[in-house]
Amino acid sequence: MSDPTHLLIAFAAGGTPAAKEALRAMRLPRLERLLQRLQPLPPEPVDELAPEAPHERALARALGLDSGAGRTPWAALALQRAGGAPGPHAWAWITPCHWRVGMDQVLMQDPAALELHDEHARELFAALQAWFADDGIELNLETPQRWLARGELFRDLVSASLDRVSGRDVAAWMPESPQARILHRLQSEMQMLLYTHPVNDARAAQGLPAVNSFWVSGAGALPPTVPEISAPALDLSLRESALRQDWAAWAQAWQQLDATRGAALLAAQERGEPVRLTLCGERAWQTFESAPRRLFQRVSGFFGTKPASMRLEQL
């Protein structure tokens, strides 16, 4: 279950000059009021090449599953929360994707842009399943866009999240470990198989990008005891426009978020309920929380004039 009194906003800031320009032009009145009334905790920096984005690191910490960047067992956790039984096994997500090969880099297109529907996904799944099985990986077709995999090689695998690698050169995010060599070989074999697969001929005829690779994320096994902690309410409404670097659309989404979930959190704070707000950019995340009134008066007096845009730029 998610905790409605703790809002965690992903992609709240961007690192490019265009993103900062869009941020400075925005008006976010509810966010401004919340930041004036809540106590800031120290920012938590995240290396730009870390395999998980700041919002994923913040969520892992909040859930008591912070075992290191790229080692959060998201797939196993999702299986458990859906009513499944991950047991002691190691799990991961396999995402069909499109890699755009250039002269000096290989960019991963956002997998959502594949528009991979059920028929094509099932044909590709049938073709790839046996190859994965040869390497001890059991595949399950969870959704057309995301397949669930079980295999011992995922147990200690450091895997980069899709939110980290989408739209970027995959070279910086490829896993490096003994078991990763198996995945690299499997990726090479699947790229050759997919190059001539009839599904990609059909997709080309429809003007859709080819499915020419896959990505592994969320790898790992759950600890024997998972803490009974309510997750923060994760908001991903800024994700799509941020990954496209469409900062005009991102600014519009931010203003909509401010007017809806921002307004709801502010109303809860004004009713005297303890609330928390975690803002996550590309390089850091920071939490703001309710404070006792006397402390609140000191904090608001010291921090109250700092615009929200300046806080967000630091993320």
Side-chain angles (χ1 to χ4, degrees):
M1 291 184 61
S2 63
D3 179 1
T5 66
H6 184 181
L7 178 61
L8 193 157
I9 300 177
F11 299 97
T16 67
K20 294 178 180 180
E21 182 180 351
L23 182 60
R24 291 168 191 157
M26 279 194 291
R27 295 295 176 265
L28 303 171
R30 290 89 176 175
L31 178 63
E32 292 276 1
R33 291 169 67 182
L34 279 166
L35 294 184
Q36 289 171 4
R37 298 176 179 200
L38 299 178
Q39 176 188 6
L41 301 183
E44 299 277 356
V46 177
D47 187 272
E48 63 180 357
L49 292 180
E52 289 178 331
H55 65 274
E56 294 164 321
R57 302 300 304 128
L59 187 58
R61 174 85 58 85
L63 291 171
L65 292 173
D66 187 6
S67 55
R71 295 183 180 275
T72 311
W74 295 116
L77 179 65
L79 176 61
Q80 183 190 68
R81 293 199 162 191
H89 305 293
W91 302 81
W93 285 316
I94 305 294
T95 302
C97 57
H98 176 79
W99 289 5
R100 189 169 70 246
V101 181
M103 291 293 294
D104 56 358
Q105 60 182 357
V106 179
L107 297 179
M108 182 193 287
Q109 186 181 52
D110 182 2
L114 277 178
E115 300 180 33
L116 185 61
H117 57 70
D118 188 66
E119 181 182 353
H120 284 172
R122 289 188 180 281
E123 290 185 50
L124 293 173
F125 180 85
L128 273 58
Q129 188 176 24
W131 292 78
F132 278 80
D134 286 343
D135 284 310
I137 301 171
E138 177 187 325
L139 278 186
N140 295 278
L141 185 60
E142 187 177 51
T143 71
Q145 296 82 21
R146 192 172 74 183
W147 306 347
L148 183 63
R150 185 180 73 177
E152 192 58 27
L153 65 85
F154 300 129
R155 184 168 301 278
D156 297 311
L157 182 72
V158 175
S159 59
S161 74
L162 289 172
D163 284 351
R164 215 45 162 162
V165 73
S166 292
R168 296 174 175 172
D169 187 354
V170 301
W173 312 101
M174 295 291 286
E176 297 181 1
S177 63
Q179 67 268 41
R181 289 196 290 269
I182 298 174
L183 293 175
H184 295 166
R185 173 183 53 74
L186 189 55
Q187 277 179 323
S188 296
E189 293 171 345
M190 294 306 93
Q191 286 164 0
M192 290 187 287
L193 175 66
L194 292 169
Y195 183 73
T196 58
H197 197 281
V199 160
N200 279 325
D201 294 334
R203 291 178 61 81
Q206 298 171 31
L208 296 172
V211 179
N212 60 11
S213 192
F214 65 86
W215 193 255
V216 178
S217 62
L222 286 175
T225 302
V226 179
E228 293 285 341
I229 301 174
S230 293
L234 174 62
D235 190 284
L236 292 170
S237 59
L238 306 177
R239 178 186 184 275
E240 183 178 349
S241 53
L243 291 180
R244 294 199 318 264
Q245 297 195 32
D246 184 346
W247 301 114
W250 177 77
Q252 290 181 347
W254 231 133
Q255 290 167 328
Q256 176 66 18
L257 175 58
D258 185 66
T260 52
R261 302 187 84 162
L265 194 67
L266 177 61
Q269 190 276 332
E270 290 176 336
R271 291 193 300 267
E273 299 176 21
V275 302
R276 304 185 86 199
L277 173 65
T278 299
L279 300 173
C280 308
E282 290 190 4
R283 299 165 300 179
W285 54 275
Q286 188 172 17
T287 294
F288 303 80
E289 63 181 14
S290 298
R293 182 171 179 79
R294 184 176 299 174
L295 177 60
F296 160 72
Q297 289 170 335
R298 295 200 302 269
V299 169
S300 61
F302 185 77
F303 290 103
T305 59
K306 192 172 184 179
S309 59
M310 291 183 61
R311 292 189 183 278
L312 291 172
E313 281 188 40
Q314 297 171 356
L315 305 176

